[in-house]
Amino acid sequence: MAGADLTVPGDVTERDDVQALLRSGFGPLTEACFLLLRVADVVAARAWLARVHVTSMADLDTKQETVLQVALTAAGMRALGTDPKVIDGFSAEFVAGMAGDAARSRRLGDVGPDAPEHWDWGWAEREPHALVMLYAQPGALAVFREEVVGSIGAGFDVLTSLETSDMKGHEPFGFLDGVSQPSIDWNGERAPGSAADLDYGNLIAAGEFVLGYRNEYGRLTERPIVDGAQDERAAALLPRAADRPNAYDSGRNGTYLVLRQLEQDVPGFWRTMSAAAPANPIPLAEAVVGRRLDGSPLVPLQPQRIPGVGEDAGDRVRNQFTYTRDPQRLACPIGAHVRRANPRNGDMAEGRTGLVGQLLCTLGFAADTDADRIAPSRFHRLLRRGREYGRLLSIREAQASVEHPPAGIHFLCLNANISRQFEFVQNAWLQGTTFGGLTGEADPLTGNRAPLMTGAATDEFSMPQGGGVAKRVAALPRFVTVRGGGYFFLPGVRALRYLAG
Amino acid sequence: MVAASVLPVEVPGLRVLLETMNLRPGFADPDNTLVTFGAFDRLHFARFVILEDQTLGDLTAYGVAFPDAPIWLVFLGDCDGDGREMVEAFARDAAPGLRRIFAHCTDFAPTTDLRQWMHSHSVSPATQYVNWVGRTVLDVCQEAALHAALRAALPVEAGPQPAIALRNTLIAEVARHGPLPSPRPPTPLAWRLAQLGRAGLGVLAFLIAIPVGLLIAIPFLAILRRRETRDAVIAPRPTPAHVAELALREDYDVTNQFSAFGNVKPGRFRLWTLVVLLWVVNLTTQLIYTRGRLARVGTIHFARWVFFDDRRRLLFLSNYDGSLDSYMDDFINKVAYGLNLVFSNGIGYPRTRFLILGGAEDEQGFKNYLRRHQLPTEVWYKAYPGLTTSDLDRNTRIREGFERSAMSDEEARAWLALI
Ligand code: HEM
């Protein structure tokens, strides 16, 4: 692939216009809640959106006691009276919504008990218009929330409030979470598409996570552009479009936010692991996830640095690896959650192999054809910013527990192209029963276990063994159920004022 | 493949009739009463598509028009052996249903001789790709059954058993209870000879191409670059309604269908470039890419390119594993050069440089372009739902290992890992 067009801007300079969530998950602000709102009084709702203080990336240069972030759905924009032409300029997935049509639900695996009609929120009258995310220091959320809800007044109704709990960096099954994240190339230093990308890299173009900047194809992702001559408000409020004269960009500095409430059956998970591996369920659970409970990888680290890994030594210890040293999938099963969610592939499965090797691979004569079936990672990365809810049980408590106290993840990720990033990962890699040449299995952790049309199972999990026959666990029950979800747009601060009409 | 024109007034009725063949939108019932696909044991894939081109307006970019462009009904079957024999079998065994369908075509009357009519409306592809040349439907089914039998024969606790011993136990078990794959018929001599001829042709073409290429390279590139910089790019986002029609028919099985239709750029330069390239690609799919992969793409079962209307328009049909997003990902990230070679000769394709660069690398423009040219496949049949090319590939390797008389310990372990 040819190198990127360097005239397309790659560096994000308008830091005061980008919502802070793109820069941080606000770890020290351990209390958080996500308010899902519906427009009640349009005038009041617009007025609130126009004046509310939204924390920006630049604000994080100083310590923040509280943080507020706002995102809108397409339904919300319609309810607020945003120009329909602008709404239609957003991506088709966003305009249709996560639960917008049966074909999308089928692709995401939202069928059977996961189908939108069973969700607590996210569908029909329970589709949110806005998402307001509140973060505060321990003990400070209640007051902050009261203040915000008070200021919203009659503008919005609270459809539901998603509470979160601090599990000290773990998710409810007990694994350390948030271990691997893409590093964002904020300064546009890397030219995507060079020979270096034949190997896996973790420094990803800003345009994969923020609209208006160069993406991994060296281009600007489609977004609504407004003609300045026809829309004075746009000219007054919005940033200029980088690729068209006299035009304004209502996507710039914003991004898409995917939210899914994923309920986890923690007792069921640990009981299943114990039943399949009575002597010690932990290694099996770690194979299912693809990392150890403490977050360390199952495959050996490599001596060579990986671009974008290793700002600190802790990161290197957890992320300086790819799966090329485990071609037979013995250390980490190919079907493990993290190996699916990020196969750590470069543009060519075998990485840089010299001119002849590269030519052979391009023409289809790679030695490891199985690895070459998997798409390159850099086009399918997600910036995860979810938070947990419920109470964290120890493994022993989970195994003994009879009732299921609800617990799970408010899975939240940011990406500039929902179909190429979130939907691709969810569909092709997690729910996909064809991933990496596997058969009969989807993600052992999050799979919906729905059989194929033919009745064939998708609920197995296989672990290749050096001795020959793979170890298999059959008939895994479902561990994760979707309770709600939506596609939101997390606009730039100026665009928020514009979109709010 | 059979293609016949349909009058616009007939199209809605035809669509309704075709839909009656389906279990799910676009997804054929193998036992439907019109064409009982499941009864044809040499048939891998089949489809009915109506080529009602929504992009004729793009021709105005070149100041031309195609006002009386016909609407085609296409009936395609990917089968083992000779395609003419397949047509014979359809005409013989599915006559009443096919008559009802073809009655919507302009020149089909109740008195028409179906067999003759189908032969006279047969069109051959310019380029054809088969994932694994010579793997028959029978092989696919028997190999899948063999895999299932071996899997079932695995001891619950394999224990620390030598691989060779375990392999022998499994083989003995399956040999006792079956099902055993039937012996493969020898490769027909005629096919071997033809293949030899094609290889000779390939070498000859290569030898001629070098001097001719050198001779025409400069004028060719000069014309090409001029066109490439001036040709209009027409890749707006497809309408939500169009996308919904297509998505409605996708993602029921692990494999999906793809049908796309478009106009070749007017003028002899593009036409002959395209004809030569498709010929070359066809040679490579017959000689080189015959074992599981088309260049770097391993997910395509069958694909073909077919000219229509005196080569004014081109149809592309394929059957691929996974969802459209992964297919597009393969196209863009693995074989952009190959798609550019062919599709850049179609009107509206994203701008290329030197035929192979650019083009599909305009990710969103390319996706828009393909989606916009895609047409709903009214009826689609696959003989072995649930199986991907990588399943077929693995099952073939299992069978080969099963039929081997002896194996080293390492080979036996690799073979056991497949099960
Ligand atoms: C309740 C459901 C889920 C649980 C319990 C879960 C758990 C985990 C855990 C424990 C890790 C390893 C730690 C880390 O690398 O941060 C991880 C990684 C990851 N998960 Fe999930 N996850 C869930 C759902 C999802 C979903 C729905 C997606 C995407 C659609 C996803 C995408 C990822 C990605 C991209 C990684 C990082 C992989 C890497 O870069 O190596 N997860 N998840």
Side-chain angles (χ1 to χ4, degrees):
Chain A
M1 185 179 296
D5 175 359
L6 290 173
T7 58
V8 181
D11 55 325
V12 181
T13 49
E14 297 157 343
R15 297 168 72 250
D16 57 350
D17 198 39
V18 178
Q19 293 202 44
L21 191 59
L22 270 156
R23 176 167 165 194
S24 169
F26 318 122
L29 306 182
T30 53
E31 294 202 336
C33 78
F34 301 154
L35 303 176
L36 295 172
L37 307 177
R38 278 181 73 88
V39 173
D41 174 339
V42 180
V43 178
R46 283 186 191 163
W48 184 77
L49 290 172
R51 67 167 188 267
V52 63
H53 177 75
V54 177
T55 311
S56 73
M57 255 175 90
D59 291 335
L60 294 186
D61 294 344
T62 55
K63 189 176 169 220
Q64 300 290 308
E65 300 286 319
T66 57
V67 165
L68 180 150
Q69 306 279 278
V70 181
L72 302 170
T73 59
M77 292 184 191
R78 280 180 218 114
L80 289 165
T82 306
D83 183 347
K85 279 207 295 291
V86 173
I87 302 177
D88 286 342
F90 285 101
S91 71
E93 315 81 84
F94 170 75
V95 174
M98 186 186 281
D101 61 85
R104 167 156 294 105
S105 296
R106 202 157 63 231
R107 271 205 309 286
L108 297 179
D110 294 343
V111 296
D114 286 329
E117 61 263 33
H118 303 304
W119 292 357
D120 295 340
W121 60 271
W123 195 61
E125 280 79 55
R126 297 192 57 77
E127 179 176 19
H129 289 159
L131 164 67
V132 173
M133 291 161 274
L134 305 178
Y135 300 85
Q137 293 188 324
L141 183 68
V143 174
F144 181 42
R145 178 206 306 237
E146 210 168 297
E147 200 180 290
V148 172
V149 172
S151 79
I152 290 173
F156 289 97
D157 288 333
V158 179
L159 175 70
T160 185
S161 167
L162 305 178
E163 307 304 324
T164 71
S165 46
D166 176 17
M167 296 188 180
K168 306 274 181 284
H170 294 79
E171 52 71 46
F173 293 139
F175 286 82
L176 198 67
D177 200 1
V179 176
S180 169
Q181 292 278 23
S183 318
I184 301 178
D185 182 16
W186 291 112
N187 301 324
E189 282 158 5
R190 178 181 146 259
S194 75
D197 288 335
L198 296 176
D199 290 318
Y200 172 70
N202 194 48
L203 183 65
I204 303 292
E208 291 292 300
F209 304 102
V210 199
L211 291 176
Y213 302 91
R214 190 166 72 217
N215 65 19
E216 282 294 328
Y217 288 104
R219 299 189 173 249
L220 294 170
T221 302
E222 285 176 2
R223 67 236 177 271
I225 302 294
V226 188
D227 183 348
Q230 286 177 15
D231 187 337
E232 281 172 22
R233 278 187 66 247
L237 284 169
L238 290 177
R240 284 185 172 276
D243 52 347
R244 243 166 287 172
N246 293 326
Y248 296 85
D249 188 340
S250 46
R252 187 175 170 93
N253 297 328
T255 191
Y256 295 103
L257 183 158
V258 176
L259 181 61
R260 274 162 90 76
Q261 182 179 345
L262 303 176
E263 196 123 301
Q264 296 173 231
D265 179 2
V266 180
F269 177 79
W270 283 108
R271 267 193 238 117
T272 305
M273 297 301 126
S274 300
N280 184 3
I282 291 176
L284 174 61
E286 291 177 336
V288 162
V289 170
R291 278 192 189 269
R292 295 193 212 290
L293 284 165
D294 67 3
S296 53
L298 298 183
V299 300
L301 297 176
Q302 63 182 45
Q304 310 93 302
R305 296 289 294 264
I306 295 174
V309 170
E311 268 114 73
D312 59 79
D315 189 28
R316 280 200 293 281
V317 167
R318 289 182 179 137
N319 284 308
Q320 193 162 299
F321 71 93
T322 68
Y323 299 103
T324 45
R325 286 156 170 256
D326 183 26
Q328 291 181 295
R329 299 134 182 219
L330 303 179
C332 178
I334 181 99
H337 177 67
V338 302
R339 195 161 177 176
R340 285 174 173 268
N342 177 10
R344 299 182 181 235
N345 253 9
D347 288 4
M348 282 190 185
E350 289 163 6
R352 265 188 280 192
T353 47
L355 219 54
V356 175
Q358 237 159 276
L359 187 69
L360 285 178
C361 181
T362 305
L363 293 175
F365 307 110
D368 187 352
T369 52
D370 269 347
D372 202 45
R373 281 179 182 273
I374 300 171
S377 287
R378 65 187 177 103
F379 303 105
H380 310 287
R381 298 301 302 276
L382 308 173
L383 189 63
R384 289 174 298 140
R385 293 287 190 236
R387 291 257 174 157
E388 291 75 31
Y389 66 95
R391 191 166 77 80
L392 181 62
L393 305 177
S394 70
I395 298 176
R396 205 175 293 254
E397 282 176 310
Q399 283 164 332
S401 159
V402 257
E403 59 187 294
H404 300 194
I409 297 184
H410 296 304
F411 175 86
L412 191 160
C413 73
L414 304 177
N415 53 185
N417 187 332
I418 298 176
S419 69
R420 173 158 63 76
Q421 294 170 270
F422 168 71
E423 290 190 348
F424 185 97
V425 173
Q426 173 71 18
N427 166 273
W429 286 354
L430 296 187
Q431 293 293 338
T433 56
T434 64
F435 177 79
L438 292 170
T439 312
E441 55 183 286
D443 182 11
L445 195 68
T446 69
N448 65 9
R449 318 294 186 229
L452 296 183
M453 187 193 67
T454 54
T458 67
D459 57 4
E460 284 195 357
F461 176 53
S462 63
M463 290 159 279
Q465 304 291 314
V469 181
K471 256 197 217 151
R472 278 197 177 74
V473 186
L476 287 175
R478 113 194 339 269
F479 303 134
V480 172
T481 305
V482 188
R483 290 280 178 231
Y487 290 154
F488 296 82
F489 184 65
L490 182 82
V493 178
R494 283 176 285 171
L496 174 65
R497 317 293 184 212
Y498 172 79
L499 293 170
Chain B
M1 187 175 112
V2 171
S5 66
V6 181
L7 286 179
V9 289
E10 293 285 340
V11 171
L14 178 56
R15 283 194 210 276
V16 171
L17 178 66
L18 291 175
E19 194 52 41
T20 64
M21 302 169 73
N22 291 332
L23 276 176
R24 299 197 164 87
F27 201 96
D29 176 354
D31 303 320
N32 79 84
T33 51
L34 287 181
V35 183
T36 41
F37 295 115
F40 295 87
D41 55 13
R42 294 198 298 121
L43 188 63
H44 293 255
F45 288 86
R47 73 177 81 190
F48 283 96
V49 197
I50 298 171
L51 307 183
E52 194 173 15
D53 188 357
Q54 310 293 327
T55 62
L56 284 168
D58 297 356
L59 284 165
T60 51
Y62 290 81
V64 290
F66 192 178
D68 46 358
I71 297 171
W72 296 99
L73 169 67
V74 166
F75 173 39
L76 164 79
D78 292 300
C79 65
D80 296 322
D82 181 23
R84 288 184 62 85
E85 278 172 31
M86 195 71 229
V87 168
E88 294 280 326
F90 278 128
R92 189 179 58 237
D93 300 334
L98 285 174
R99 286 190 157 277
R100 278 184 65 194
I101 295 168
F102 292 138
H104 293 81
C105 298
T106 33
D107 62 348
F108 193 92
T111 53
T112 303
D113 178 338
L114 177 67
R115 195 183 134 268
Q116 223 170 19
W117 185 89
M118 284 178 73
H119 280 306
S120 68
H121 287 76
S122 286
V123 273
S124 344
T127 302
Q128 191 165 4
Y129 169 72
V130 178
N131 182 271
W132 193 283
V133 174
R135 179 161 55 207
T136 63
V137 178
L138 187 70
D139 290 332
V140 169
C141 297
Q142 291 188 337
E143 288 165 9
L146 177 67
H147 175 223
L150 288 166
R151 173 72 79 86
L154 281 177
V156 186
E157 264 308 322
Q161 206 181 139
I164 296 179
L166 180 55
R167 171 172 180 263
N168 291 342
T169 317
L170 291 181
I171 290 180
E173 181 78 6
V174 173
R176 218 170 14 252
H177 303 292
L180 286 175
S182 41
R184 253 190 249 255
T187 311
L189 185 67
W191 184 84
R192 278 175 194 267
L193 288 177
Q195 197 69 350
L196 210 63
R198 278 190 284 263
L201 199 63
V203 173
L204 196 68
F206 187 70
L207 291 179
I208 297 176
I210 292 172
V212 173
L214 284 177
L215 217 69
I216 64 163
I218 290 173
F220 177 82
L221 288 177
I223 302 175
L224 176 70
R225 289 301 297 146
R226 240 174 73 116
R227 306 262 164 146
E228 286 189 322
T229 45
R230 294 185 189 175
D231 282 341
V233 173
I234 310 169
R237 253 206 241 172
T239 63
H242 179 66
V243 175
E245 275 294 313
L246 300 169
L248 177 69
R249 296 171 172 78
E250 286 169 350
D251 300 315
Y252 295 102
D253 183 39
V254 292
T255 309
N256 274 309
Q257 42 64 34
F258 189 86
S259 309
F261 195 45
N263 295 278
V264 179
K265 286 173 179 167
R268 267 184 235 159
F269 178 79
R270 286 293 191 175
L271 176 62
W272 283 104
T273 305
L274 182 59
V275 167
V276 171
L277 287 171
L278 284 174
W279 186 82
V280 173
V281 175
N282 196 45
L283 209 57
T284 65
T285 58
Q286 287 178 323
L287 293 172
I288 302 171
Y289 298 120
T290 58
R291 284 289 177 270
R293 287 157 67 90
L294 179 53
R296 272 181 84 190
V297 178
T299 51
I300 303 175
H301 290 259
F302 289 85
R304 52 177 88 193
W305 280 273
V306 193
F307 279 114
F308 274 79
D309 309 298
D310 283 334
R311 300 195 284 211
R312 286 169 83 170
R313 296 194 280 178
L314 185 68
L315 174 66
F316 172 65
L317 304 168
S318 71
N319 306 280
Y320 63 93
D321 295 330
S323 70
L324 189 72
D325 275 330
S326 347
Y327 193 39
M328 297 276 178
D329 188 279
D330 277 353
F331 275 177
I332 297 168
N333 299 329
K334 294 184 177 164
V335 287
Y337 66 93
L339 284 140
N340 291 348
L341 275 178
V342 173
F343 285 114
S344 71
N345 299 297
I347 289 186
Y349 191 79
R351 199 168 300 293
T352 48
R353 301 183 307 278
F354 301 102
L355 270 183
I356 54 174
L357 301 175
E361 289 170 14
D362 171 5
E363 177 228 0
Q364 289 190 296
F366 174 77
K367 287 177 179 170
N368 289 346
Y369 174 85
L370 277 202
R371 214 40 165 163
R372 184 164 168 266
H373 284 274
Q374 198 186 343
L375 294 171
T377 300
E378 304 294 334
V379 178
W380 180 67
Y381 167 76
K382 178 185 171 201
Y384 29 87
L387 294 180
T388 63
T389 57
S390 89
D391 294 330
L392 303 186
D393 188 37
R394 181 203 54 224
N395 293 349
T396 297
R397 285 192 278 161
I398 290 177
R399 179 216 190 124
E400 285 166 358
F402 180 81
E403 289 172 346
R404 286 260 305 272
S405 50
M407 268 189 185
S408 70
D409 181 64
E410 196 185 338
E411 287 171 329
R413 272 186 286 141
W415 184 76
L416 288 171
L418 298 172
I419 301 166

